[in-house]
Amino acid sequence: MSDPFLFSCPFLRLIWRIGLYSVLVTASVANMAQENFDRITVESFGTLDDGKAVQLFSLKNRSGMTVEIIDLGGIIVSLEVADAEGVFADVTSGFDIPQTYAEGAGYMGAIIGRFANRISGGKFSIDGVQYSLAQNNGDNSIHGGLTGYDKKIWNTEYSTDLNEARLVLTTVSPDGEEGYPGRVDVTVVYTLNDKNQLVIDYSATTDKATVINLTNHAYFNLDGHGAGSILNHEIRINADRYTPVDSTSIPTGAIEDVSGTPLDFRIAKAIGEDIESSHQQIQFGSGFDHNFIINHASPEALTLAAEAYSPKSGRVMNVYTDQPGVQFYTGNFLNGSLVGKERAVYDSREAFCLETQHFPDSPNRPNFPSTVLRPGDRLETRTIFEFLTRRARGSL
Ligand code: BGC
């Protein structure tokens, strides 16, 4: 910056420069002080009954948003964000005890693989060869089988940048694991940035043709994880169509319009508005438990798939993804039987999930986007959970 010409006197010019420099120095010291927080810390999360140690990684951003993730299942155990008044709360369901997760606590917060959601009859074929999976949901297979990716201890590495914290989780899923063909190398990267976005990048390769469908199964309550019903939350889902299911939640193969059904969330509405509908789909799902086909401007473009808003707290969560679908599940099968962190009790419809994914049972549905991964190809997919607030009550 040039000195004002008024200061033609050398003495005044000197005073001006000293003033200017001290402002600059103060600003950069303040900036350093602002950066002076740990974007990632690591501590023990206890041990499993078999003696395996579980590590907890806390990712923090400049505005104080904090996400805690464990190496068991890459599980998000807490996610603290501010409400419209600046008050922080943990908006995701979870547990204090690692063994609860290991025993399969509704897959809360976990990375799901090798195949998220259901596969009909626990069977599928690739190139004429049939594969059989554990039938762990009635006759169907769900969420990767008995010991899915949610129960593995993942390898971890972490790093920080000027504007973000990054946790890299890797694992190898051996050939034949849970009945799936091919050794699959999986990487999941969680990045927390200063825009209050939790970015999840998934990638995978295989040495034999296989099927794969990865997601995160976090349960949310934007009023706080133990705050009760989510029926007041307003949801908008950017989907004109969905995949209707049979009574066992397996897609019929049809692709139907949401218009005129309780599944029409194209304009935001309260979850409670149509959840007791007598519509057959709502009866089959015991509420909302459906895969919505996201309106992508172009295939695989990162798109706003859904927005959730609680008029009570003013918290908003936007979900962006390049995946073709999102499973909107309203926690219909939660039953208060598990004691959560801070002794919270999670009863039916006290949390919801927005699981970005390929369509359920895709391996048996040639008309759905393919979930086959072949040697030499790499699966790459991104989902972003973004948090903001809106003070005034109103629809999205
Ligand atoms: C499914 C639900 C299931 C839940 C927990 C969701 O992805 O759609 O039907 O109850 O996961 O397994």
Side-chain angles (χ1 to χ4, degrees):
M1 191 187 290
S2 60
D3 298 339
F5 85 108
L6 267 181
F7 299 153
S8 45
C9 156
F11 178 68
L12 283 180
R13 208 159 48 223
L14 182 68
I15 297 289
W16 161 257
R17 282 184 182 161
I18 289 171
L20 182 64
Y21 291 148
S22 56
V23 166
L24 290 177
V25 168
T26 314
S28 68
V29 167
N31 205 23
M32 274 162 60
Q34 250 187 349
E35 264 313 303
N36 192 18
F37 67 97
D38 289 328
R39 283 187 183 268
I40 295 201
T41 52
V42 190
E43 62 192 288
S44 166
F45 192 64
T47 49
L48 297 173
D49 286 358
D50 64 8
K52 283 189 193 127
V54 179
Q55 296 290 309
L56 174 85
F57 300 83
S58 303
L59 283 60
K60 197 174 189 127
N61 76 5
R62 185 167 295 166
S63 61
M65 176 177 166
T66 308
V67 184
E68 291 184 318
I69 299 162
I70 51 175
D71 54 5
L72 172 66
I75 293 169
I76 299 171
V77 299
S78 79
L79 197 155
E80 289 210 8
V81 283
D83 69 6
E85 310 300 325
V87 178
F88 280 82
D90 178 0
V91 298
T92 188
S93 319
F95 302 93
D96 293 322
I97 302 165
Q99 188 61 28
T100 314
Y101 286 115
E103 285 166 13
Y107 305 91
M108 280 181 180
I111 297 167
I112 308 296
R114 187 174 300 192
F115 202 95
N117 216 302
R118 292 172 174 84
I119 295 183
S120 173
K123 291 197 173 17
F124 67 95
S125 299
I126 306 176
D127 302 334
V129 181
Q130 194 183 68
Y131 299 94
S132 295
L133 313 168
Q135 292 165 298
N136 58 336
N137 186 252
D139 288 341
N140 305 318
S141 183
I142 194 168
H143 297 330
L146 300 176
T147 311
Y149 295 1
D150 57 300
K151 298 196 184 64
K152 286 170 174 283
I153 304 249
W154 294 59
N155 304 313
T156 53
E157 267 176 43
Y158 60 92
S159 58
T160 59
D161 247 318
L162 200 54
N163 304 311
E164 57 191 34
R166 199 175 308 111
L167 177 64
V168 180
L169 298 120
T170 54
T171 195
V172 174
S173 171
D175 185 12
E177 185 179 49
E178 286 292 329
Y180 291 95
R183 168 197 154 126
V184 173
D185 288 72
V186 192
T187 301
V188 177
V189 184
Y190 286 104
T191 306
L192 177 64
N193 64 31
D194 282 337
K195 293 182 274 183
N196 278 4
Q197 294 176 327
L198 178 65
V199 182
I200 313 180
D201 287 303
Y202 305 83
S203 61
T205 55
T206 184
D207 66 356
K208 273 187 201 158
T210 190
V211 291
I212 187 161
N213 189 20
L214 303 174
T215 194
N216 178 282
H217 206 308
Y219 287 67
F220 297 98
N221 183 328
L222 297 179
D223 295 334
H225 72 101
S229 172
I230 42 92
L231 298 183
N232 68 324
H233 285 46
E234 293 172 16
I235 302 282
R236 184 169 89 82
I237 303 179
N238 180 17
D240 294 337
R241 296 171 304 155
Y242 75 107
T243 51
V245 288
D246 66 15
S247 61
T248 70
S249 286
I250 291 291
T252 61
I255 286 180
E256 283 180 12
D257 280 1
V258 294
S259 68
T261 78
L263 293 111
D264 191 348
F265 283 92
R266 290 172 298 177
I267 295 173
K269 66 174 176 183
I271 295 177
E273 195 170 316
D274 289 325
I275 204 164
E276 299 295 352
S277 164
S278 58
H279 191 284
Q280 192 184 47
Q281 285 300 308
I282 305 304
Q283 296 298 310
F284 281 168
S286 305
F288 297 104
D289 191 1
H290 296 86
N291 170 61
F292 290 76
I293 302 178
I294 298 162
N295 298 330
H296 282 283
S298 58
E300 297 177 24
L302 195 63
T303 302
L304 180 61
E307 301 170 300
Y309 165 61
S310 165
K312 191 170 159 200
S313 62
R315 291 193 185 88
V316 177
M317 181 176 80
N318 291 332
V319 183
Y320 299 85
T321 192
D322 52 17
Q323 295 265 45
V326 61
Q327 183 86 7
F328 175 47
Y329 169 56
T330 45
N332 312 311
F333 306 120
L334 297 175
N335 58 13
S337 58
L338 296 166
V339 180
K341 55 196 173 184
E342 296 158 330
R343 303 206 63 74
V345 173
Y346 306 124
D347 230 320
S348 177
R349 300 176 181 167
E350 294 193 337
F352 66 94
C353 304
L354 286 162
E355 302 152 61
T356 57
Q357 58 172 10
H358 267 258
F359 307 169
D361 201 28
S362 291
N364 293 309
R365 291 286 168 196
N367 60 322
F368 289 176
S370 174
T371 47
V372 175
L373 183 69
R374 293 187 181 277
D377 291 345
R378 172 179 286 274
L379 165 81
E380 279 185 343
T381 174
R382 168 174 283 191
T383 290
I384 302 176
F385 292 99
E386 176 185 63
F387 294 86
L388 36 147
T389 60
R390 187 174 312 135
R391 206 168 283 271
R393 195 199 153 94
S395 55
L396 291 161

